[in-house]
Amino acid sequence: MISIRELRFAYGSGFALDLPALDVAARERVAVVGPSGAGKTTLLNLVSGIAVPDRGRVTLDGTEIGALPDRARRRLRAASIGFVFQEFALVDYLNAEENVLYPYRVGAGLRLDRAARDRARALLADFGLGGKTRRRPAELSQGERQRVAIARALVTRPKVILADEATGNLDPANKAAALDLLFAQATDTGAALLCVTHDHELLPRFDRVIDFAELRQAA
Amino acid sequence: MNALYLAAANLRFHWARTLVLVVAAALVLAVPVLTRALLAQGEAALAARAEATPLLLGTRGSRLDLVMAGAYFTDDLPEPATLAASEAVWDSGLGIPVPLYTAFTTGEARIVGTTLDYFDLRGLEAAEGRPFALLGEAVLGASAAARLRLGPGDTVLSNPENLFDLDGAYPLEMTVVGVLAPTGTPDDEAVFTDIKTAWVIAGIGHGHDDILAEGEDAAAAAARVVQYARITEANIDSFHFHGDPATYPVTAVMVVPHDERSATILRGRYLDAEGPVQAVVPADVIDALVARLLRIAALVDAVTLVVGAAAALALGLALFLTWRLRAPEMRTAFALGAGRGTIARLALAEIGLVLLAAALLAAPLVIALQSHAPTIAARLIALGS
C-alpha cells in the first residue's frame, strides 16, 4: 500500500528527514514514535503529498505521489487519505454532520451526494453521536469532538488513515475508545493506519512501531 | 456552491460581526449615491424655483441674499425694503407685484406675510381648509403642517424675536385656517399669513382696549395699554396701523411682468446703482450659484472617492484579519485536499455575500431617500442659510 524508498526531505532550518525504506500494508496498524522534532509529522505530510521529498520516492498503491502535479496530489489526498489531527481541527461554524462532510465541501474532485450524507450520518450514529448531529463543536465534549474528527477522516473511505497525536488531548477512557473506533473502521475498510503518538501505553495495540529515535541513530 | 454554502454558514454563525460589516459596507455604498442624488435634486429644486420667480425687488445689497430670502425663505434676510417698491410696480402697470415679508418664524418654519396673489401666481391650492381671509389667520405649507402636527382650527404662535427687548416684536397667536397641498418647493416649509398680520407681529399694527379716560393725557394712558396677543372676532376691529403704509417693511417684492417688454422696462428702472431698490432675475443669480455648487460637487466627489477608498480599505483589513483568524481552518482544508483556488473562492464568496447583503440594505435606503429627495432638498434649502 505505502512504500517509501531512499527518502530525504530537508527544511531550510537544516533539519532533514532521512528514511531508507518503509512499507505499510493494507489493514496494517503502524505507530510512529519519537522525540519532538524528529520528523514524525513531516513523514505524514510526505505520505499525504502535502510535502514533496527532495529525494527518493513515496508511492501509494504504486502511484508515486511526488511525481504528481499539485492538483492530482490534492485529488489523491482528498480521495485516499483520511486525516485525524491532535487539536481535532473542527470548523466552529459547522455542526457535527457538516464537519464530517467538510472534505466534500473543500476536497478536490469529491462530490457531495446522498450516499456521502448517509455515510456521515451512519458514522456519527455508530460513534454514539446520532442525536447530536446538529450540534456545533462548542456544544460537544472533548471526546465527542474527537469522534466527529475521526468520522470526518473516515467518511471518504480512504485507503490510508493518518493520525497525528489523535488521542493526545483525551482522557484514558476516551483514548481507548477513539483508538477502538479507528481500528474497527480501518479493519472494516481495509485502510492502513499510520498513527503518530507519544503515548507508549497504546503501543502494544499496534501491529508495528517505528521509532524515529532509533532511525536517526542508525542514520 | 460549496464555497457559497460555507461562506453563508460562517457569516450566519458570526452574525454580529457580519451585521457590522454589512452595515458599514451599505453605508460606504449608499452615502455617495445619496449625496449625489440630494445634490442633483437640490440643484434642480433651486433652478426650478428660480425659473418660477421672474423678478424680485428688494433693498440694494447682496443679490443672493435677496433671492434666497424672497424665493426660498431662508434665514439670511436682506435689509427690508418698503411697501413703496410694491406700489411703484403696481402704479407702473408693468406687472403684478406680490410683497413678501419674511422676518418672523414659528417653530422652525418661516412666517411669510404676503397677499392672496402669491397663491395664484405660485399655483398653490389648499389641501385642507381655505386660504387666509382675515387678520390673524395662517395657512401652513404641507411639510410645516406635518412637522408641527397642525391643521385647520389649531393655532400657531410666532417666535419672540428677543425676550429682553420690551419694545420688540411680541408673539402673536394665529389661527390655522388651511393646509396647502405639497409642491416640493420651499412653500411646503412656510407658514403663510396676510402681510398685515406679519406687520402686526412686527408691532406696526396692534389692537387694544380703548382706555383713554375723558380729559386724560394719551401719554399717561399708554402706560395702561395691554396689547392683544391674539386676533379674535371680538377684538379684530380694534386693530389698526400707525404711520404711512408706503414705509411698511417688506423683505422682497416678487414681480410677475405682463410680458417680456414690461420685464425689460422694469429691470431698466432699477439699474441705477445709487437707487435704494434693486431688481434681480433669480434665474441669473441661481445659475451662478449652481455653477459654484457644481465646482464644489466635483470636490465633494473627490473627497467621497478618497473617503470611500479609505472605508473600503478598512473593510478589507477587517476581512483580512478575520481571514487570518481562520488560518487553522484553511490549513485543515488544505490537508483535506483544498487548493488555493478553493480558498480564494471561499474568500470571494464571503466578500460577495457581504457586498450583496450591503447592496440589498442600501438599495431600499437609496430608493426611499431618493423618493423623498425633493422634500429633503426643499427643507435643506429652506434651512440652508
Side-chain angles (χ1 to χ4, degrees):
Chain A
M1 169 120 359
I2 302 171
S3 175
I4 295 174
R5 292 291 179 272
E6 303 300 334
L7 180 72
R8 180 177 177 82
F9 180 83
Y11 287 101
S13 61
F15 167 79
L17 171 66
D18 288 291
L19 195 58
L22 173 66
D23 292 291
V24 181
R27 287 195 172 80
E28 193 176 11
R29 303 156 187 176
V30 178
V32 180
V33 297
S36 296
K40 303 184 295 294
T41 300
T42 302
L43 174 67
L44 299 191
N45 287 343
L46 288 162
V47 170
S48 63
I50 291 174
V52 178
D54 299 326
R55 199 178 64 211
R57 291 186 305 141
V58 179
T59 58
L60 177 62
D61 273 349
T63 303
E64 187 180 344
I65 296 172
L68 295 172
D70 178 63
R71 183 169 173 74
R73 265 188 288 129
R74 285 192 284 112
R75 278 178 172 271
L76 179 89
R77 189 155 70 241
S80 305
I81 312 276
F83 265 105
V84 188
F85 305 93
Q86 181 179 7
E87 303 291 343
F88 315 143
L90 298 179
V91 180
D92 63 349
Y93 58 84
L94 298 177
N95 64 35
E97 185 180 320
E98 290 166 335
N99 261 292
V100 173
L101 292 170
Y102 191 63
Y104 289 95
R105 298 285 183 191
V106 296
L110 295 182
R111 188 165 162 272
L112 179 58
D113 53 18
R114 173 170 284 208
R117 290 181 193 280
D118 290 343
R119 214 158 41 244
R121 287 188 198 120
L123 278 168
L124 287 171
D126 288 348
F127 291 2
L129 295 169
K132 297 181 178 179
T133 57
R134 301 289 166 201
R135 293 201 186 171
R136 291 203 168 83
E139 300 165 315
L140 298 171
S141 69
Q142 286 282 92
E144 288 170 337
R145 282 180 222 168
Q146 184 62 311
R147 277 179 270 162
V148 173
I150 292 171
R152 182 180 63 190
L154 298 168
V155 74
T156 55
R157 287 180 298 193
K159 292 176 182 172
V160 178
I161 299 167
L162 303 177
D164 194 354
E165 296 286 357
T167 57
N169 282 337
L170 299 177
D171 58 60
N174 275 314
K175 269 182 197 174
L179 216 54
D180 286 344
L181 287 174
L182 269 176
F183 283 0
Q185 291 294 326
T187 303
D188 282 356
T189 59
L193 179 62
L194 203 56
C195 190
V196 169
T197 181
H198 278 110
D199 197 336
H200 287 251
E201 286 180 14
L202 300 175
L203 298 184
R205 300 188 60 181
F206 287 88
D207 300 325
R208 187 151 54 106
V209 176
I210 300 170
D211 189 341
F212 266 53
E214 290 175 9
L215 278 177
R216 300 205 82 177
Q217 269 187 339
Chain B
M1 284 303 288
N2 284 328
L4 271 178
Y5 178 87
L6 291 174
N10 181 45
L11 294 173
R12 205 167 47 239
F13 182 68
H14 300 288
W15 63 269
R17 190 181 68 200
T18 303
L19 186 66
V20 171
L21 281 172
V22 166
V23 169
L27 287 175
V28 170
L29 290 174
V31 168
V33 178
L34 288 175
T35 309
R36 214 66 190 85
L38 278 178
L39 206 58
Q41 190 59 49
E43 287 169 13
L46 274 173
R49 182 72 166 182
E51 290 293 334
T53 310
L55 199 61
L56 278 176
L57 304 184
T59 299
R60 193 166 293 281
S62 165
R63 287 153 49 88
L64 183 60
D65 280 356
L66 176 59
V67 171
M68 295 311 286
Y72 305 95
F73 311 141
T74 59
D75 294 341
D76 279 338
L77 299 176
E79 282 297 311
T82 62
L83 191 62
S86 179
E87 290 172 347
V89 174
W90 187 259
D91 293 343
S92 73
L94 295 169
I96 301 169
V98 182
L100 299 160
Y101 189 40
T102 66
F104 305 104
T105 54
T106 173
E108 289 182 358
R110 190 146 288 278
I111 296 170
V112 178
T114 185
T115 63
L116 288 175
D117 285 339
Y118 185 84
F119 293 83
D120 294 336
L121 295 173
R122 289 279 192 220
L124 301 177
E125 289 179 357
E128 293 176 66
R130 58 172 174 78
F132 54 75
L134 298 171
L135 206 60
E137 290 183 343
V139 174
L140 307 185
S143 303
R147 197 172 60 255
L148 298 170
R149 295 181 181 178
L150 295 175
D154 296 325
T155 58
V156 285
L157 194 66
S158 66
N159 294 335
E161 290 303 293
N162 187 342
L163 286 173
F164 306 106
D165 181 5
L166 296 177
D167 194 32
Y170 289 88
L172 179 72
E173 192 176 67
M174 293 166 282
T175 305
V176 177
V177 294
V179 175
L180 298 174
T183 59
T185 70
D187 293 330
D188 290 350
E189 301 289 337
V191 171
F192 293 95
T193 66
D194 187 280
I195 194 165
K196 288 176 185 164
T197 305
W199 286 331
V200 169
I201 299 170
I204 297 165
H206 55 217
H208 51 75
D209 291 326
D210 188 2
I211 53 161
L212 190 62
E214 197 167 328
E216 188 182 15
D217 178 50
R224 297 204 307 276
V225 167
V226 178
Q227 292 187 11
Y228 297 124
R230 186 178 185 195
I231 302 168
T232 62
E233 280 183 28
N235 67 20
I236 192 167
D237 289 339
S238 77
F239 275 81
H240 53 277
F241 294 84
H242 295 279
D244 178 6
T247 63
Y248 294 173
V250 295
T251 305
V253 179
M254 186 173 95
V255 180
V256 183
H258 293 313
D259 49 39
E260 192 57 39
R261 180 176 167 275
S262 301
T264 307
I265 294 170
L266 272 171
R267 285 200 299 271
R269 287 189 176 183
Y270 298 97
L271 285 177
D272 180 7
E274 299 299 315
V277 176
Q278 64 175 340
V280 296
V281 178
D284 295 345
V285 176
I286 294 303
D287 280 352
L289 179 66
V290 166
R292 283 186 194 179
L293 283 178
L294 286 176
R295 284 199 290 276
I296 294 170
L299 185 66
V300 169
D301 282 350
V303 171
T304 303
L305 197 67
V306 172
V307 172
L313 281 175
L315 277 175
L317 182 65
L319 283 169
F320 172 74
L321 291 175
T322 305
W323 203 252
R324 285 280 298 266
L325 289 174
R326 292 172 67 189
E329 181 196 337
M330 296 308 122
R331 279 198 296 274
T332 303
F334 185 66
L336 297 179
R340 287 193 184 86
T342 308
I343 307 296
R345 276 197 298 279
L346 198 55
L348 287 175
E350 287 197 9
I351 293 168
L353 285 176
V354 167
L355 289 179
L356 180 67
L360 289 175
L361 180 67
L365 196 71
V366 169
I367 290 167
L369 279 174
Q370 271 188 334
S371 67
H372 289 93
T375 312
I376 296 168
R379 178 147 173 71
L380 288 176
I381 290 166
L383 292 174
S385 59

